[in-house]
Amino acid sequence: MKFRIYRYDPEADAAPRLQEYDIPLDPHDRMLLDALVRIKSIDETLAFRRSCREGVCGSDAMNINGRNGLACTTNLRELKEPVELRPLPGLPVIRDLIVDMSQFFKQYHSIRPYLVNDTPPPEKERLQSPEDREELDGLYECILCACCSTACPSFWWNPDKFVGPAGLLQAYRFVADSRDLGVNARLDDLEDPYRLFRCHSIMNCADVCPKGLNPNKAIARIKDLLVKRAV
Amino acid sequence: MSALPVRRFDVIVVGAGGSGMRASLQLAEAGLSVAVLSKVFPTRSHTVAAQGGIGASLGNMSEDSWLWHMFDTIKGSDWLGDQDAIEFMCRMAPKVVYELEHFGMPFDRNPDGTIYQRPFGGHSANFGEKPVQRACAAADRTGHAMLHTLYQRNVRARTQFFVEWMALDLVRAADGEVLGVVAYEMETGEVMILQAKATVFATGGAGRIFAASTNAFINTGDGLGMAARAGIPLEDMEFWQFHPTGVAGAGVLITEGVRGEGGILLNGNGERFMERYAPNLKDLASRDVVSRSMDQEIKEGRGCGPNKDHVLLKLDHLGPEVINKRLPSIREIAIKFANVDPIREPIPVVPTIHYMMGGIPTNIHGEVVAPRDGNPSAVVPGFYAVGECSCVSVHGANRLGTNSLVDLLVFGRSAGEHIVAQRLDRRPHRELPRDAGETALARLARIDANAGGESTAAIARDLRDTMQAHCGVFRNHELLTAGVAKVLEIEQRAQAVVLKDKSRTFNTARVEALELDNLVETAKATVVSAAARRESRGAQARSDFPARNDAEWLKHTLWYREGNRLDYKPVNLKPLSVEAFPPKARTY
């Protein structure tokens, strides 16, 4: 199978290049990650992140034939050849397919990604109705792979000021949690021309999410709550 | 002294999975300076892949008690588990689950608002009478929800993370006290000594010593390799759990929660064969029993598919509603990795390496222990181990499903508490020995200097294939002795491993070469310990010694790297406060 892979080693390359590989696959090679591991067994200089190989750790996000996705859950048979692999767009490249995700995590950390509830906890669990718990479905499953945020032009232009779809999805995960008592402060923090309102609903985020989540919908909910709060 | 730069902390935690982050949380909230090292961003640690649930006798679904949980765990361990540690864990389980809920864990809920619990293999009410719902679940993403919750809570506590740093070796003083680790920063290739007054290993499992494994690529037994090279023995390494339901051909895990929700296993004749092997708990017998039964069915020609090499996990009878609500990720995995939609068709599954019951020996405070001056469990000062890399031993010869996540929480917390009580902030750092860091530097230099040997990929592949062939579900003398010889030969090849890429920046080939040393130590410990144990107990099934032999083998194995030597120590059959559960025959 034929691949064209973005290569950049800051110690050796003045500029990035695309390297072609044509490798025989084994019948057991099912996912793109299987092919990458095979390529690495031939050319160990190729660098990429990977861990769980089942779409739950979020390590191997990359740009696959122009679209962000996880190598471990992308079936090789669905890919047009040559398969062009590039690092996630918009973030600084450290080497080959490995990007510096500091800016992405900085935004995630900025939304206070933890339950805020300073009332003394009961001896047992805090109760939550199944309906209230269902409000978290479609939110808590995020794997922080950054496919969405790095597919978002608003995040490309303002990665330092716009929280981005992944961070906003998590912001809403806590806003929506019946146990969280910090909702007002969370909304205050997001009521900002950049942090929230750089989202223009172009929907790239929902389009590429490998877990089928919809950050755009969560962002719309936050905007609704801000409007409601204002009146 | 080596010229390595040194950074100092009160505590270093190596590994940012469930146990590491539960420990670091305890430490950071107590105001200690704590550094957590991880090869991957914390939420990418392998705890994230746990699916089914956390075992705790909350009794939300029907009556339950920690004593029943304790009995199930001891019986599941085939009486190799230490009863003091098991009592400690089962009593503490509800508390750590409630804490996790208070941290924000998105557990599924019952109509009354309490945490939802599902049945799981080997968990029973009233000492084996009938299945009980004890597994606290967040759909089939419990590990993901737990790991993210723990990370979030650590963000709140301002824990300091060293992300994409790999620990290479321990630093020990001449008197044996552990003083920290030598660590390698992947992005820059820098090597540094991270010095601490307490060092906690939470490095996880090592399933990557086998060819077919549910484990992530990062599970390379780094903590085991480091401990072994520092002269610390590894306990009960012959006991490796085969999870009954890995996707055939892909290895990806399908949670036991599928059977907890009512899924059943079928052989090539469409027969629910577990009724024959475990008439009471059937498909919910413990994992060693189910895996052996499956292997037996396949060996006797009753497998499924054109090659009769797997069995089927049927769950379509649960209906789309239960599958979509309780098992959504399983459906996703089956569609992606097995080409079947479980709402309509069964999933092809085989027993697949999943969990290492053995590890670095510890006590219930997470302190590492090793024999010294006649004491089989003398504390190694400054050194702790928690989670899958440790052996406390609560899992004995076979772990029950859901007991790994509760193990992470209970012992991560317990180690954290024990360290906090030492008041380390009041104590100065010791002086580092002159040779600090030399083991690690010698390994790096060897790998860089080698020429004429083979690649990491080729050697690691042979190691995994060897372990798969020689240390499978059923073992015997011929297989194991040949396995020992082959692994020792592979060790020689690993010593000569060649690194072609000498670059510094994010050189993942160098990381994999360093990991190979740890895979080799783990594989040696496993196959040598397995060859010596001439009985069948839990996950160690010997076709040449099919019976459990308490008279000779009710004892823990200790493997030492030096001389590939074995030693043994007694099982603790004495609980902390209740009466002992003496060994008896194990049927489900």
Side-chain angles (χ1 to χ4, degrees):
Chain A
M1 195 167 182
K2 290 186 166 62
F3 296 85
R4 296 178 68 198
I5 304 181
Y6 179 103
R7 300 299 312 270
Y8 175 65
D9 174 358
E11 294 166 41
D13 300 324
R17 60 199 159 87
L18 285 175
Q19 183 169 350
E20 313 229 338
Y21 293 92
D22 189 356
I23 55 147
L25 291 181
D26 181 276
H28 290 108
D29 293 338
R30 178 184 185 87
M31 300 296 184
L32 174 58
L33 180 60
D34 299 328
L36 279 170
V37 169
R38 196 162 293 284
I39 293 171
K40 189 166 177 68
S41 73
I42 299 162
D43 175 4
E44 70 179 23
T45 65
L46 177 66
F48 53 92
R49 293 186 175 105
R50 83 285 180 268
S51 185
C52 77
R53 61 87 171 84
E54 59 191 44
V56 68
C57 81
S59 296
D60 62 353
M62 55 188 70
N63 188 270
I64 306 160
N65 280 344
R67 188 187 156 85
N68 291 353
L70 300 180
C72 61
T73 54
T74 299
N75 198 305
L76 286 165
R77 278 173 308 184
E78 289 159 13
L79 294 175
K80 220 180 85 199
E81 288 185 62
V83 181
E84 194 164 300
L85 301 179
R86 291 172 180 271
L88 288 175
L91 295 177
V93 174
I94 297 173
R95 172 175 176 169
D96 299 343
L97 299 173
I98 296 176
V99 290
D100 179 351
M101 295 184 71
S102 313
Q103 198 64 254
F104 172 81
F105 288 123
K106 202 169 164 187
Q107 290 298 354
Y108 171 65
H109 293 150
S110 80
I111 60 104
R112 276 179 300 157
Y114 42 83
L115 194 81
V116 173
N117 185 332
D118 292 329
T119 61
E123 205 162 296
K124 296 187 169 185
E125 65 268 59
R126 287 196 168 99
L127 299 180
Q128 184 173 48
S129 71
E131 295 73 34
D132 283 343
R133 167 59 185 78
E134 254 170 49
E135 293 294 318
L136 308 183
D137 285 343
L139 306 172
Y140 82 93
E141 303 92 323
C142 174
I143 58 173
L144 299 176
C145 65
C147 280
C148 61
S149 292
T150 61
C152 174
S154 297
F155 189 75
W156 295 339
W157 309 144
N158 292 294
D160 52 335
K161 295 185 195 137
F162 174 49
V163 172
L168 290 169
L169 183 82
Q170 289 315 295
Y172 186 64
R173 176 251 174 273
F174 290 100
V175 166
D177 195 321
S178 62
R179 299 168 295 174
D180 192 277
L181 303 181
V183 176
N184 256 322
R186 292 183 190 281
L187 292 178
D188 289 346
D189 168 63
L190 294 173
E191 196 163 25
D192 175 283
Y194 282 95
R195 283 180 65 69
L196 172 70
F197 288 103
R198 281 289 119 170
C199 168
H200 301 305
S201 300
I202 62 161
M203 301 288 284
N204 282 5
C205 53
D207 204 39
V208 297
C209 176
K211 303 309 284 181
L213 310 178
N214 187 342
N216 187 255
K217 199 166 127 193
I219 294 168
R221 292 263 173 85
I222 299 173
K223 288 179 179 170
D224 281 352
L225 286 172
L226 285 171
V227 171
K228 270 189 204 137
R229 195 170 73 149
V231 293
Chain B
M1 198 171 114
S2 62
L4 289 175
V6 180
R7 286 187 69 172
R8 293 187 177 84
F9 303 88
D10 290 330
V11 190
I12 289 165
V13 180
V14 183
S19 65
M21 286 207 288
R22 187 64 191 81
S24 65
L25 182 58
Q26 207 72 14
L27 298 162
E29 286 188 342
L32 291 170
S33 82
V34 47
V36 183
L37 268 71
S38 177
K39 290 199 289 186
V40 293
F41 184 77
T43 62
R44 318 215 189 285
S45 307
H46 193 54
T47 304
V48 80
Q51 297 173 349
I54 312 173
S57 58
L58 309 187
N60 286 352
M61 320 305 285
S62 63
E63 192 192 351
D64 199 1
S65 101
W66 64 262
L67 195 63
W68 297 346
H69 187 190
M70 178 180 171
F71 168 79
D72 292 337
T73 303
I74 293 168
K75 179 179 170 184
S77 82
D78 218 348
W79 275 270
L80 192 71
D82 289 322
Q83 299 196 9
D84 58 335
I86 294 174
E87 176 182 341
F88 182 81
M89 180 179 81
C90 296
R91 287 182 81 136
M92 185 68 103
K95 184 183 168 75
V96 294
V97 168
Y98 292 139
E99 274 179 351
L100 189 64
E101 194 282 328
H102 301 152
F103 296 163
M105 171 88 171
F107 281 113
D108 287 2
R109 300 289 172 154
N110 295 309
D112 65 359
T114 55
I115 295 169
Y116 168 74
Q117 299 181 276
R118 61 162 57 107
F120 239 76
H123 289 279
S124 75
N126 204 15
F127 310 103
E129 192 181 295
K130 56 180 187 217
V132 73
Q133 294 184 237
R134 189 178 285 148
C136 308
D140 53 1
R141 308 182 181 101
T142 312
H144 169 278
M146 175 171 140
L147 190 68
H148 280 254
T149 302
L150 287 172
Y151 178 66
Q152 291 160 357
R153 193 75 179 182
N154 272 282
V155 170
R156 180 178 176 269
R158 300 181 188 278
T159 303
Q160 189 175 354
F161 287 98
F162 285 69
V163 175
E164 292 171 334
W165 282 62
M166 180 183 184
L168 301 183
D169 272 299
L170 281 170
V171 176
R172 291 188 84 176
D175 60 9
E177 181 170 344
V178 169
L179 303 177
V181 293
V182 180
Y184 174 85
E185 184 184 25
M186 297 184 197
E187 185 177 337
T188 59
E190 297 284 330
V191 181
M192 196 178 280
I193 291 179
L194 299 181
Q195 187 179 357
K197 301 166 199 168
T199 301
V200 183
F201 271 13
T203 56
R208 286 278 153 179
I209 64 168
F210 288 90
S213 165
T214 65
N215 281 200
F217 280 99
I218 54 172
N219 291 18
T220 52
D222 299 339
L224 307 177
M226 288 186 274
R229 283 190 294 275
I232 288 159
L234 302 181
E235 179 174 346
D236 291 342
M237 289 298 293
E238 60 271 48
F239 298 101
W240 278 85
Q241 179 163 81
F242 286 82
H243 194 290
T245 56
V247 172
V252 177
L253 173 69
I254 299 288
T255 174
E256 192 168 293
V258 169
R259 284 170 286 137
E261 297 289 345
I264 56 170
L265 293 164
L266 300 176
N267 66 16
N269 304 330
E271 181 205 2
R272 187 181 179 188
F273 58 90
M274 280 313 299
E275 290 179 331
R276 275 189 277 119
Y277 295 93
N280 190 21
L281 292 185
K282 302 185 178 81
D283 301 90
L284 285 179
S286 68
R287 289 178 178 170
D288 58 331
V289 173
V290 179
S291 286
R292 273 198 298 280
S293 309
M294 291 167 68
D295 206 61
Q296 191 87 12
E297 291 297 301
I298 293 167
K299 272 205 186 101
E300 291 173 5
R302 291 188 295 278
C304 304
N307 302 322
K308 294 181 182 287
D309 57 359
H310 59 267
V311 302
L312 294 173
L313 177 62
K314 173 181 152 64
L315 63 157
D316 58 300
H317 56 285
L318 305 182
E321 201 167 304
V322 169
I323 292 174
N324 286 328
K325 182 164 176 58
R326 300 282 185 214
L327 305 165
S329 302
I330 290 311
R331 187 174 176 213
E332 192 185 321
I333 286 171
I335 291 172
K336 285 202 169 118
F337 288 91
N339 278 340
V340 300
D341 184 345
I343 284 180
R344 289 186 293 275
E345 308 151 90
I347 309 171
V349 292
V350 288
T352 306
I353 275 292
H354 182 56
Y355 187 86
M356 173 180 80
M357 268 73 72
I360 303 166
T362 71
N363 61 24
I364 60 172
H365 308 298
E367 294 174 289
V368 174
V369 294
R372 195 176 60 225
D373 304 332
N375 175 2
S377 299
V379 168
V380 178
F383 193 25
Y384 293 73
V386 288
E388 190 170 342
C389 75
S390 71
C391 181
V392 47
S393 143
V394 284
H395 309 304
N398 170 67
R399 173 175 72 76
L400 293 188
T402 79
N403 270 356
S404 60
L405 294 188
V406 79
D407 165 359
L408 307 183
L409 294 171
V410 167
F411 293 103
R413 183 185 196 282
S414 157
E417 266 197 330
H418 193 265
I419 294 168
V420 168
Q422 311 297 306
R423 298 310 311 260
L424 295 177
D425 47 331
R426 296 180 182 173
R427 235 169 59 194
H429 284 279
R430 286 182 62 173
E431 198 177 324
L432 288 172
R434 301 175 66 85
D435 63 351
E438 274 179 13
T439 318
L441 289 174
R443 285 174 64 214
L444 284 164
R446 181 197 99 225
I447 290 169
D448 266 353
N450 279 347
E454 303 156 87
S455 71
T456 304
I459 300 167
R461 186 175 52 234
D462 281 358
L463 181 68
R464 291 192 295 266
D465 289 344
T466 301
M467 291 302 289
Q468 194 75 25
H470 291 267
C471 256
V473 174
F474 284 99
R475 304 161 175 184
N476 63 44
H477 176 75
E478 285 70 34
L479 273 175
L480 289 167
T481 39
V484 170
K486 283 191 186 174
V487 169
L488 292 178
E489 186 203 312
I490 290 169
E491 180 183 26
Q492 296 307 312
R493 290 163 57 195
Q495 280 297 311
V497 67
V498 162
L499 181 71
K500 284 192 198 134
D501 179 359
K502 314 277 200 232
S503 64
R504 294 173 65 81
T505 310
F506 230 116
N507 184 339
T508 53
R510 179 175 288 126
V511 170
E512 289 180 25
L514 289 161
E515 288 171 338
L516 179 62
D517 284 341
N518 300 325
L519 290 169
V520 166
E521 298 302 340
T522 311
K524 265 167 30 188
T526 299
V527 70
V528 170
S529 303
R533 184 176 284 270
R534 295 156 80 90
E535 66 155 353
S536 291
R537 181 186 299 270
Q540 158 104 336
R542 297 266 315 231
S543 44
D544 46 354
F545 297 96
R548 196 175 82 195
N549 178 351
D550 288 336
E552 287 175 80
W553 288 103
L554 185 57
K555 57 186 179 186
H556 295 294
T557 307
L558 293 173
W559 172 83
Y560 289 83
R561 176 173 181 264
E562 182 82 57
N564 231 341
R565 177 169 67 87
L566 292 175
D567 191 3
Y568 294 90
K569 70 173 181 181
V571 174
N572 188 344
L573 294 169
K574 208 170 157 281
L576 297 169
S577 73
V578 295
E579 273 190 46
F581 291 97
K584 56 180 191 179
R586 185 160 163 262
T587 54
Y588 284 97

